Amino acid sequence: MKRRNLLATAAMGLLLASGATFAQGMDKVKACFVYVGPIGDGGWTFQHHEGALAVQAEFGDKVEIQWQENVPEGADAERVLTQMALGGCNIIFTTSFGFMDPTNAVAAKFPDVKFEHATGFKREHPNVSTYNARFYEGRAVQGHIAGKMTKSNKIGYIASFPIPEVIMGINSYYLHAKKANPNVELSIVWAFTWFDPAKEADAAKALIDQGVDVIASHTDSTAPLAEAAKTNGAVIGFGQASDMAEYKDGPRVSSIIDNWAPYYVKRVGALLDGTYAQADAWEGIAGGEVEIGEITAAVPAEVKAEAEALRDAIAAGTYHPFTGPINKQDGSAWLAEGATAPDGDLLGMNFYVEGIVGDIPQ
């Protein structure tokens, strides 16, 4: 996957929704889903498929669902999308950042098919919408727990690709760990994959070898937790995208759960009832798309209460995870005291905050 430099000016457009509507309802909808990994990844793709199944459960025989797993980001994606459009799909959800250009390319050829792209920003045609989740809100909660729980003062992060979605998660995690524990140091390993359990495991091993005792990840499998489990309680971690509850009795102390079901049900329902319109969505904890999984008894009661209070403040809109003063990594000012980050800055984020050591890969 090639890195795309997302400029804040371009990203600002992500917040604007088109007025294009599709007023005619439908008796039945064929809803199709393109997955970057396997349904059994236990993380990202698993949760998207749960959302697809929720659509089927909600609408019964009014909806037919179809999906394709393990679709590479690139030319193969364009081929799969074309086949789906030719196969009668009325709405196609493309569930990974690297599907952005193929989605828009195929949408141009099939103006009567609705395309929904997850985590991207390009809506080049009236039949393309975008949707995302404010994962950085969940990272703030994880960061607080990490800062409070680390004994070595070394916390780690397994990153996938250097896109704004991932960078803002790293920054949020670090900022809140640092607030909880000023002595915290963050180590980052770039895996350059969304789903590759072997690479993810190697990344976790590398962090553990550096003395890291709390690991967060922005990749799709349970491999980092599996590596943490081998340390007999010395290293803890978090479920990513899914709850990863099978590790609750081990290293998993909480999780970020991506709940796509409300969005999928809403969009397919709008196509059925004739209220569908091109749009962009970016919901978080308040909207229910980002959930904080159960904080286990391994976390002290006081820390759990603080983390839950942070979650609730974000949900209520009384706290924003990017509230100044915050400087960029080079020491230059970014946010003044009390200022909160504009969405455009977040959606185009291509810098680390002050205190993070290392460079963002190019």
Side-chain angles (χ1 to χ4, degrees):
M1 172 177 173
K2 296 180 180 178
R3 181 181 182 216
R4 294 160 171 87
N5 296 315
L6 310 186
L7 301 177
T9 52
M12 283 294 286
L14 185 126
L15 303 176
L16 303 175
S18 165
T21 59
F22 303 88
Q24 186 175 355
M26 301 180 67
D27 294 328
K28 185 170 183 176
V29 167
K30 185 174 182 180
C32 300
F33 299 81
V34 181
Y35 301 142
V36 73
I39 292 169
D41 67 1
W44 176 263
T45 293
F46 174 80
Q47 282 301 122
H48 281 284
H49 192 59
E50 288 292 290
L53 295 177
V55 170
Q56 186 73 81
E58 178 73 18
F59 298 112
D61 59 9
K62 291 183 178 180
V63 170
E64 175 188 352
I65 64 170
Q66 178 184 326
W67 63 89
Q68 179 74 45
E69 301 175 79
N70 296 310
V71 178
E73 297 172 318
D76 281 348
E78 193 164 333
R79 176 184 55 79
V80 169
L81 287 168
T82 299
Q83 290 175 342
M84 284 184 167
L86 290 171
C89 296
N90 305 114
I91 186 168
I92 302 174
F93 295 90
T94 59
T95 65
S96 190
F97 182 84
F99 295 148
M100 180 164 58
D101 289 336
T103 297
N104 281 276
V106 177
K109 302 172 186 176
F110 297 92
D112 294 330
V113 178
K114 314 305 179 283
F115 292 81
E116 299 262 349
H117 178 238
T119 75
F121 64 91
K122 290 183 180 178
R123 294 178 305 283
E124 296 175 345
H125 310 284
N127 57 330
V128 178
S129 292
T130 47
Y131 62 103
N132 203 346
R134 295 180 184 268
F135 307 115
Y136 68 86
E137 295 180 345
R139 297 298 181 193
V141 178
Q142 289 186 345
H144 182 84
I145 294 171
K148 291 288 188 176
M149 293 288 287
T150 179
K151 296 179 175 64
S152 66
N153 291 329
K154 295 181 179 181
I155 63 173
Y157 202 103
I158 300 171
S160 48
F161 293 98
I163 60 175
E165 171 194 327
V166 177
I167 296 168
M168 74 177 85
I170 292 169
N171 284 335
S172 181
Y173 179 70
Y174 174 75
L175 284 170
H176 291 84
K178 194 75 171 177
K179 286 181 180 180
N181 177 357
N183 296 316
V184 154
E185 299 175 0
L186 176 66
S187 296
I188 303 165
V189 174
W190 290 94
F192 295 100
T193 183
W194 293 117
F195 177 79
D196 187 325
K199 286 185 178 179
E200 295 171 66
D202 287 344
K205 292 173 188 175
L207 289 171
I208 293 168
D209 288 345
Q210 295 174 39
V212 165
D213 61 358
V214 186
I215 298 175
S217 62
H218 199 136
T219 51
D220 295 352
S221 85
T222 60
L225 285 174
E227 288 304 313
K230 297 175 183 178
T231 67
N232 297 316
V235 178
I236 61 171
F238 303 94
Q240 159 60 16
S242 297
D243 198 29
M244 300 186 177
E246 62 268 37
Y247 289 96
K248 276 185 181 179
D249 293 331
R252 175 222 166 275
V253 295
S254 186
S255 58
I256 293 177
I257 303 170
D258 307 339
N259 181 16
W260 301 109
Y263 184 76
Y264 289 161
V265 168
K266 176 182 177 181
R267 298 301 277 167
V268 173
L271 205 53
L272 283 165
D273 66 22
T275 60
Y276 187 94
Q278 183 189 40
D280 169 63
W282 199 23
E283 296 292 338
I285 293 175
E289 285 191 4
V290 176
E291 299 177 346
I292 304 301
E294 177 190 353
I295 300 173
T296 69
V299 178
E302 179 181 350
V303 177
K304 178 179 179 180
E306 292 168 352
E308 290 176 340
L310 177 59
R311 174 201 64 196
D312 295 345
I314 293 170
T318 57
Y319 177 72
H320 192 296
F322 289 103
T323 299
I326 301 174
N327 292 338
K328 295 183 178 181
Q329 185 185 46
D330 62 8
S332 62
W334 176 40
L335 295 175
E337 177 78 36
T340 58
D343 280 349
D345 281 13
L346 298 179
L347 293 166
M349 185 168 276
N350 60 359
F351 60 87
Y352 287 144
V353 295
E354 190 172 42
I356 295 180
V357 177
D359 298 322
I360 297 173
Q362 299 300 311

